[in-house]
Amino acid sequence: MASRKATQPIHEFPLIRQLQRRYERRSPLVRKGIGDDAAVVSIPAGDWAVLTTDLLTEGIHFDLRTTTPMSIGHRAAMANLSDVAAMGATPRFLLVSLAIPPTLRADDIHALYRGLMSACGQHQVHLIGGDTSASRQGLFLSLTLFGTTPKNRVLFRSGARSGDGIYVTGTLGDSLAGLRLLTNRRPSQQGTALKKKARDFLIDRHRHPTARVQEGLWLNRTQLATAAIDLSDGLSGDLRHVCEESQVGADIALATLPISPACRAYADAHKIDPATLALAGGEDYELLFTVAADDEQKLERQARSRGFLVTKIGRIRPRRFGLQSLASDGTRTPLPITSYRHFTSRMKHSG
Amino acid sequence: MASRKATQPIHEFPLIRQLQRRYERRSPLVRKGIGDDAAVVSIPAGDWAVLTTDLLTEGIHFDLRTTTPMSIGHRAAMANLSDVAAMGATPRFLLVSLAIPPTLRADDIHALYRGLMSACGQHQVHLIGGDTSASRQGLFLSLTLFGTTPKNRVLFRSGARSGDGIYVTGTLGDSLAGLRLLTNRRPSQQGTALKKKARDFLIDRHRHPTARVQEGLWLNRTQLATAAIDLSDGLSGDLRHVCEESQVGADIALATLPISPACRAYADAHKIDPATLALAGGEDYELLFTVAADDEQKLERQARSRGFLVTKIGRIRPRRFGLQSLASDGTRTPLPITSYRHFTSRMKHSG
């Protein structure tokens, strides 16, 4: 039976079909959802299509022993929503593919879909198709998200210019702190100084991150951002992508990094500098964007009036400047080359 | 290092980046390919988008002991191209995600991409993005193909009406015969009567199937087909999908099934009825379509003038007729409910 299931498209896998029916929503844009050779959708005439895809593997991106299937689904969808947000586009359609190991229970698949659709539902994203297979070992989840944006109106990584202010939305480091709380094997250390409310906040920020879709659309519409990226690998790594694509350097003032009270409390309790959490922590799914110096006041005014939290954290420099961080004691050091490891809280330094 | 790679987007995986550079082609439709948060493409104004995705898993859809990585790539791309062809759409953009086990060599990944791109190159499909991850065990390949079609011009499964002629392109059963030649453990039986040329033909039809993209576009443009599907699970299974979606029955004349001389020789050598190969064989990637009786002559005339091989194999009947096959001795039997098992040559009967 497993082999037979393996070759069936998603709508013929009885459980998946049931889930699809539950989550399929009518939309004038969806001409054909699940149930044909391919999905057919219409998009506003002349709009550009924006596409992103992620493949998440058990034991690499998530650990089913420490993460719930619902959180896996939610975070996977948010990661894709965040990519579309970073382009300033409207997320619209989702394709979901699963390779399901024999150990996974039907309840887990239900929970995974609940997580996916709770994230998508917030942004009126429609599930239009996918594929399902058996997996000999390990759960694999592949998502493809399709967004749209008016033509010639898109936020690339490559537009930052020397002199631009560097901004981020929200607060940084929360997700990493939350992950460490979930995976730390020394509970004695963490329980002491951190209040339950702070602890819950950080864990929720890790389990249920929010893609900054509205902020991305605003930045794109107003044309105030010169470049944008989402913070999925951590500020240090993602800023580097912007600098490489834009052929510029950057100077980050560590004291200005937006740290939530809970993250600050976590850092205090563990006697670490919250800036290291902010620099290295992945999966915050905040947006980093750059703004021409002349537009900074306008941008900050608009953000305030819309209730968006944005914080200037540094300035784009010429390429030869490299990437540096400025500490509160006035010393500058090269920004570490970090790469966030999802599901363990360790970082890898290389290069 | 493996963990670090696991979290990197495809363009940062050094080998993948190298392959992407090799296969990236400039196109005015691709506004941004690999190297940003998402790909950005433009499509003809007012066109509808057609999306299909497949997730292929080692040990389920393919066996690296009996299949080459190049053939896996080629067949995976063709399966998606065939889905888009069955909608009558133009395939345009491909996203490729891989979860790579530690056992896979760089050469294998090169060969997989060569296979993917040899299939895509035939149809001017552009590689625009993807994701790469480590896999603890087993190779996983997820493809998403994006096509376009003029609005309101698309071939669904649901349009077949009682009285319509049932047609297929090309010949049926070749891929299954080729697969059996590759996996048959009784070489004594197969070597005897089958000439090398026939054997090579069948194996090539299995390893390098052809998606009927031009035929699909023609059927859609001329509006002569009332419904269409591609034959990936086998005639018996796929015709059933059309009948379910269209709420009709079907009558198939077994003697009219188009069988290649090589497939007929294979069947003769193994003393089996070639019709069983045609009915059950998956991965032929021919198109099955239906045509109103009044349009059949026109369709056949046009096919001849364009050099497309199409064969009428039966007729759509009312739903209560069910799905039946008519043998050459005049007896009718219900069409078996088969489901093609990829990579083994066995079929599963159920229901």
Side-chain angles (χ1 to χ4, degrees):
Chain A
M1 203 53 198
S3 286
R4 179 159 181 268
K5 279 184 180 172
T7 64
Q8 291 178 309
I10 192 165
H11 59 281
E12 291 160 33
F13 224 88
L15 170 62
I16 302 292
R17 185 169 203 164
Q18 187 186 333
L19 284 163
Q20 300 280 3
R21 281 211 194 96
R22 178 180 306 167
Y23 291 115
E24 207 166 22
R25 297 279 177 276
R26 281 177 197 281
S27 159
L29 294 180
V30 180
R31 305 294 168 162
K32 184 76 196 181
I34 293 144
D36 213 301
D37 292 289
V40 183
V41 298
S42 57
I43 66 175
D47 269 21
W48 285 355
V50 172
L51 291 138
T52 183
T53 190
D54 270 333
L55 176 59
L56 305 178
T57 72
E58 184 176 348
I60 305 288
H61 297 93
F62 57 86
D63 184 344
L64 276 167
R65 292 167 304 182
T66 56
T67 317
T68 63
M70 182 157 169
S71 170
I72 292 166
H74 187 97
R75 286 163 56 215
M78 278 300 174
N80 278 266
L81 288 162
S82 184
D83 279 330
V84 169
M87 308 302 287
T90 305
R92 295 198 182 270
F93 314 110
L94 183 70
L95 298 157
V96 176
S97 292
L98 288 176
I100 300 172
T103 48
L104 206 72
R105 296 171 309 149
D107 280 358
D108 294 333
I109 301 175
H110 276 278
L112 185 76
Y113 265 85
R114 271 204 305 280
L116 283 169
M117 300 321 294
S118 74
C120 287
Q122 295 171 30
H123 302 287
Q124 290 82 52
V125 169
H126 293 271
L127 180 65
I128 58 166
D131 192 17
T132 308
S133 159
S135 163
R136 293 246 165 142
Q137 196 177 338
L139 172 65
F140 290 74
L141 171 61
S142 176
L143 301 185
T144 301
L145 185 63
F146 180 129
T148 60
T149 189
K151 68 177 173 181
N152 296 310
R153 192 66 70 81
V154 62
L155 301 173
F156 291 119
R157 294 177 178 179
S158 53
R161 297 292 169 259
S162 182
D164 289 358
I166 303 171
Y167 286 79
V168 292
T169 60
T171 57
L172 306 182
D174 296 330
S175 179
L176 177 55
L179 175 62
R180 287 192 180 176
L181 286 168
L182 285 169
T183 56
N184 199 324
R185 294 192 187 101
R186 291 173 296 174
S188 60
Q189 201 182 28
Q190 55 181 255
T192 48
L194 197 62
K195 286 187 180 142
K196 183 171 183 304
K197 197 175 159 190
R199 188 184 156 82
D200 289 351
F201 171 83
L202 294 172
I203 288 175
D204 190 60
R205 282 275 286 167
H206 176 71
R207 283 195 175 144
H208 303 109
T210 304
R212 298 302 183 186
V213 173
Q214 294 310 320
E215 289 84 339
L217 287 168
W218 160 62
L219 290 171
N220 196 12
R221 200 170 49 239
T222 58
Q223 297 187 278
L224 289 171
T226 54
I229 194 170
D230 77 312
L231 296 176
S232 53
D233 288 339
L235 172 59
S236 188
D238 290 319
L239 175 61
R240 196 168 301 273
H241 294 315
V242 169
C243 288
E244 281 169 5
E245 294 292 327
S246 301
Q247 303 189 27
V248 294
D251 192 16
I252 298 296
L254 296 180
T256 63
L257 294 177
I259 309 290
S260 68
C263 187
R264 199 171 294 281
Y266 173 89
D268 288 348
H270 291 78
K271 298 183 178 61
I272 52 175
D273 182 352
T276 62
L277 293 170
L279 286 174
E283 300 188 297
D284 280 322
Y285 298 119
E286 299 295 347
L287 297 182
L288 178 147
F289 57 97
T290 55
V291 179
D294 287 350
D295 289 331
E296 288 178 16
Q297 281 199 336
K298 188 175 173 190
L299 176 112
E300 291 178 18
R301 204 165 51 237
Q302 286 203 12
R304 265 194 305 277
S305 75
R306 280 171 177 74
F308 294 146
L309 173 62
V310 302
T311 308
K312 183 158 68 175
I313 62 167
R315 198 162 288 287
I316 295 294
R317 295 295 184 198
R319 193 174 192 177
R320 63 180 179 278
F321 184 89
L323 277 73
Q324 298 189 38
S325 66
L326 175 69
S328 45
D329 63 4
T331 56
R332 276 208 170 78
T333 48
L335 212 61
I337 297 174
T338 58
S339 175
Y340 178 72
R341 290 171 57 154
H342 295 250
F343 111 70
T344 69
S345 58
R346 294 159 55 199
M347 291 165 282
K348 173 136 187 93
H349 293 255
S350 69
Chain B
M1 204 53 200
S3 286
R4 178 158 183 270
K5 280 183 180 174
T7 63
Q8 292 178 309
I10 193 166
H11 59 280
E12 292 160 33
F13 223 87
L15 169 63
I16 302 293
R17 185 167 205 166
Q18 188 187 331
L19 285 163
Q20 301 279 5
R21 280 211 195 96
R22 178 179 306 167
Y23 292 113
E24 207 166 23
R25 298 280 178 274
R26 282 178 197 282
S27 159
L29 294 179
V30 181
R31 305 293 168 163
K32 184 77 195 178
I34 294 143
D36 213 300
D37 292 289
V40 183
V41 298
S42 57
I43 66 175
D47 268 21
W48 285 355
V50 172
L51 291 139
T52 183
T53 191
D54 271 333
L55 177 58
L56 305 178
T57 73
E58 186 178 346
I60 305 289
H61 297 93
F62 58 85
D63 184 344
L64 275 168
R65 294 168 303 181
T66 56
T67 316
T68 64
M70 182 156 169
S71 170
I72 293 166
H74 187 97
R75 285 164 56 214
M78 278 301 174
N80 278 265
L81 287 162
S82 183
D83 279 331
V84 169
M87 308 302 287
T90 305
R92 296 197 181 271
F93 314 111
L94 183 71
L95 298 157
V96 176
S97 291
L98 288 176
I100 300 172
T103 48
L104 205 73
R105 296 170 309 150
D107 281 357
D108 295 334
I109 302 175
H110 276 277
L112 185 76
Y113 266 84
R114 270 203 306 280
L116 283 168
M117 300 321 294
S118 74
C120 287
Q122 296 171 30
H123 302 288
Q124 291 83 50
V125 168
H126 292 272
L127 180 66
I128 58 166
D131 192 17
T132 307
S133 160
S135 163
R136 295 246 166 141
Q137 196 178 336
L139 172 65
F140 290 75
L141 171 62
S142 176
L143 301 185
T144 301
L145 185 62
F146 180 129
T148 60
T149 189
K151 68 177 175 182
N152 296 310
R153 192 69 68 82
V154 63
L155 301 174
F156 291 120
R157 294 178 178 179
S158 52
R161 296 293 168 259
S162 182
D164 289 358
I166 303 171
Y167 286 80
V168 293
T169 61
T171 56
L172 306 183
D174 297 330
S175 179
L176 177 55
L179 176 61
R180 288 192 180 176
L181 286 169
L182 285 168
T183 56
N184 198 325
R185 295 193 187 102
R186 291 172 296 174
S188 60
Q189 202 182 28
Q190 54 182 257
T192 49
L194 198 61
K195 289 192 178 133
K196 183 172 183 303
K197 198 177 159 189
R199 189 183 155 83
D200 289 351
F201 171 84
L202 295 171
I203 288 175
D204 190 61
R205 283 273 287 166
H206 176 72
R207 283 196 176 143
H208 303 109
T210 305
R212 300 301 182 186
V213 173
Q214 294 311 320
E215 288 84 339
L217 287 168
W218 160 62
L219 290 171
N220 196 11
R221 201 172 47 240
T222 59
Q223 297 187 278
L224 289 172
T226 53
I229 193 170
D230 76 314
L231 296 176
S232 54
D233 288 340
L235 172 59
S236 188
D238 290 319
L239 174 61
R240 197 170 300 274
H241 294 315
V242 169
C243 289
E244 281 170 4
E245 294 293 326
S246 300
Q247 304 189 28
V248 293
D251 191 15
I252 298 296
L254 296 181
T256 63
L257 295 177
I259 309 290
S260 68
C263 187
R264 199 169 295 278
Y266 173 89
D268 288 348
H270 292 77
K271 299 184 179 59
I272 52 176
D273 181 352
T276 62
L277 293 169
L279 286 174
E283 301 188 296
D284 280 323
Y285 298 121
E286 298 296 346
L287 297 182
L288 179 149
F289 56 98
T290 54
V291 179
D294 288 349
D295 289 331
E296 289 178 16
Q297 281 200 334
K298 188 174 174 190
L299 176 112
E300 291 179 19
R301 206 167 47 237
Q302 285 203 12
R304 266 194 304 276
S305 75
R306 281 171 176 74
F308 295 145
L309 173 63
V310 302
T311 307
K312 183 158 68 173
I313 62 167
R315 198 162 290 287
I316 295 293
R317 296 292 184 201
R319 192 176 193 175
R320 63 179 179 279
F321 183 89
L323 276 74
Q324 299 190 38
S325 66
L326 174 68
S328 45
D329 64 2
T331 58
R332 277 209 170 77
T333 49
L335 212 61
I337 297 174
T338 59
S339 175
Y340 178 72
R341 289 172 58 154
H342 297 247
F343 110 71
T344 69
S345 57
R346 294 159 55 199
M347 291 165 282
K348 174 135 185 90
H349 292 255
S350 70

